[in-house]
Amino acid sequence: MMLDDQGMTEEWIVRVQGREYGPADIEILREWKAEGRLLPANDARRANVDLWTTAAQIPGLFDVEVPAAVSDRRLTEPSLQVPHRNFTQVLAKTFQIYRKGFFQFLGLTLLILLPSICSQLTTAFVQPPQGSNVDARSVLAAGFAFVMFILSIVMWPVYIAGIQILTAEIAREHRPGLVAVLNEAVRFWQRVAALCVFVFAVFALLILFALGIALVLAAGASSFLLILFALALLMLQVWMFGRFFVYVLFWQQFAVLENAGFINSLRESRDLARSGRELRWFQRPLWRGAFIASIWCAFGLAIKLGPEWSTLQHYFNEVTTTQDPQALLQRMTEIQQAGGFDLSAFALGILEEILRPLLGIAFVVVYLDSKVGDVSHMEPIVSAGEGDTVR
């Protein structure tokens, strides 16, 4: 018997050709499945959650009888589900979903944006006094800014899971409320948080590795063997980065939409990213994901470097003209303090966060297109007849 978090039997409501049946527990659902009245494509939701998914996602209903061979081919043979959108259509679908659920996506964004804004404004406008004296006001401001920063980080897993759930629901032509999405997203907090820590920690280590290689190159400018050694390390770093990128390309979709565990999310992301070898290279999930990530990185760099361009030029001039490292550090500190609070950079940062859901939406669209096709066009194959009654 399947129990929910409170120890009570889970009950589900299913929708077949516009008619809803239930609540029903897993045993009754298995009877309906055996009678041919319930198929994986039919809509379903928990009785206490107003968030629709498909009957295929009900734990222990359809997956208990799936042959091992079919399960193994589920992601390794996506050629049965050939993507039917080109890249332009993927982007168009992304913006369409974002437009339809703009206020829900904005609500999810505010979970991380509001604490971040509070932290930045507090840090910018409440400066500590000069000298060694510390007043209570600056201590409280620093504590408040730190709490807001931690709160923003804590809400990230809910934000990520909410983007996946809301995008999949809108793709099915459903319009769930923000509260229902949040209630469902909170269930994935622990798993998504663990994966976030792992993914960002590995990427940070890879970046530090690249910086170490740069230091080796700088130190060994006159040594041919040291330069060769650094280039070999650089090739290793690029290889490791590419391998890890494949493992994490679709981890968010599998962790939330497929309810996969920690290891399975990474493994299935790898399998899906490597799939589509019979397609043209630009139609494969790996390259589509790489294009989307590259577009977003270019946009993010433009947002961040645009307002700071003049400051960066000052930094570059100081680095090339100042010989004394201590004087260089002091000069850079003076340039940063002279800049003060940059309103344009602050506004552009808010704009970037508001548009950030587009990145998650695009990956969900590619995931759905590559793995299961466009679910918004799925229609029930078998439905309950007019004389059928709910048990």
Side-chain angles (χ1 to χ4, degrees):
M1 181 178 294
M2 184 168 50
L3 303 179
D4 61 11
D5 295 336
Q6 287 74 33
M8 300 180 65
T9 304
E10 273 194 345
E11 292 187 327
W12 296 76
I13 295 176
V14 297
R15 183 165 58 196
V16 181
Q17 287 192 342
R19 297 179 58 185
E20 296 183 7
Y21 300 89
D25 59 22
I26 189 66
E27 298 301 330
I28 295 177
L29 293 177
R30 285 172 180 164
E31 292 179 13
W32 292 351
K33 183 191 77 167
E35 295 168 0
R37 299 166 54 195
L38 182 62
L39 292 182
N42 295 138
D43 293 334
R45 67 175 176 85
R46 289 182 176 85
N48 60 344
V49 178
D50 187 21
L51 188 63
W52 290 95
T53 178
T54 61
Q57 302 297 324
I58 299 177
L61 182 57
F62 286 95
D63 54 354
V64 293
E65 298 179 3
V66 176
V70 174
S71 178
D72 293 340
R73 293 196 306 267
R74 181 163 54 96
L75 295 180
T76 56
E77 296 183 5
S79 58
L80 300 176
Q81 304 286 349
V82 179
H84 53 81
R85 292 190 182 99
N86 57 38
F87 193 70
T88 303
Q89 291 170 329
V90 168
L91 296 180
K93 183 66 175 179
T94 298
F95 282 98
Q96 180 188 18
I97 292 175
Y98 182 71
R99 178 182 58 81
K100 287 183 176 180
F102 174 77
F103 291 105
Q104 290 97 325
F105 286 117
L106 180 61
L108 290 171
T109 301
L110 291 178
L111 292 176
I112 60 173
L113 182 58
L114 287 180
S116 177
I117 290 176
C118 292
S119 178
Q120 293 179 56
L121 293 180
T122 302
T123 304
F125 291 106
V126 182
Q127 299 293 336
Q130 299 293 330
S132 59
N133 296 327
V134 178
D135 60 354
R137 179 170 173 266
S138 62
V139 172
L140 289 176
F144 176 76
F146 179 75
V147 170
M148 290 295 100
F149 173 72
I150 295 299
L151 178 60
S152 177
I153 293 178
V154 169
M155 296 308 297
W156 260 97
V158 178
Y159 168 76
I160 290 175
I163 294 296
Q164 316 306 310
I165 295 169
L166 182 57
T167 302
E169 287 296 300
I170 294 177
R172 296 188 180 100
E173 301 297 336
H174 300 157
R175 299 295 295 273
L178 179 60
V179 175
V181 172
L182 291 175
N183 287 336
E184 191 71 11
V186 168
R187 297 175 52 246
F188 299 95
W189 188 92
Q190 185 175 2
R191 180 187 307 157
V192 174
L195 281 163
C196 281
V197 171
F198 173 74
V199 170
F200 293 138
V202 173
F203 274 127
L205 290 175
L206 290 173
I207 292 174
L208 289 176
F209 188 33
L211 293 176
I213 294 172
L215 291 177
V216 171
L217 283 172
S222 59
S223 173
F224 180 72
L225 291 178
L226 197 57
I227 291 177
L228 288 180
F229 177 69
L231 291 177
L233 290 179
L234 180 61
M235 293 176 61
L236 176 63
Q237 194 270 348
V238 171
W239 178 81
M240 290 190 301
F241 185 91
R243 294 276 295 184
F244 189 67
F245 181 76
V246 170
Y247 274 88
V248 301
L249 194 60
F250 297 104
W251 74 262
Q252 297 178 10
Q253 291 71 52
F254 281 104
V256 178
L257 301 181
E258 291 285 338
N259 199 22
F262 186 101
I263 300 299
N264 287 336
S265 297
L266 301 176
R267 182 184 296 115
E268 294 185 7
S269 171
R270 175 202 62 189
D271 292 340
L272 184 59
R274 290 176 174 176
S275 65
R277 297 181 184 274
E278 75 285 353
L279 303 172
R280 296 181 179 181
W281 67 271
F282 55 84
Q283 292 180 315
R284 299 171 186 173
L286 174 60
W287 290 104
R288 287 188 168 191
F291 288 154
I292 292 171
S294 300
I295 292 173
W296 180 257
C297 287
F299 173 75
L301 285 175
I303 288 289
K304 288 179 172 60
L305 296 183
E308 302 291 338
W309 186 249
S310 59
T311 304
L312 292 174
Q313 287 181 317
H314 284 298
Y315 284 160
F316 181 77
N317 291 334
E318 293 297 330
V319 169
T320 55
T321 58
T322 304
Q323 301 296 328
D324 185 5
Q326 185 175 359
L328 175 62
L329 181 61
Q330 182 179 0
R331 181 58 182 156
M332 287 185 171
T333 303
E334 292 174 355
I335 293 175
Q336 184 177 8
Q337 292 177 348
F341 179 73
D342 193 337
L343 181 60
S344 61
F346 179 72
L348 287 174
I350 293 177
L351 176 62
E352 180 184 10
E353 293 302 323
I354 292 176
L355 296 178
R356 186 181 295 276
L358 288 169
L359 178 62
I361 296 169
F363 271 96
V364 174
V365 171
V366 172
Y367 161 81
L368 294 175
D369 231 28
S370 302
K371 182 178 180 294
V372 295
D374 187 5
V375 295
S376 64
H377 294 93
M378 290 172 57
E379 294 292 338
I381 300 174
V382 175
S383 63
E386 291 295 326
D388 290 332
T389 57
V390 178
R391 304 179 184 218

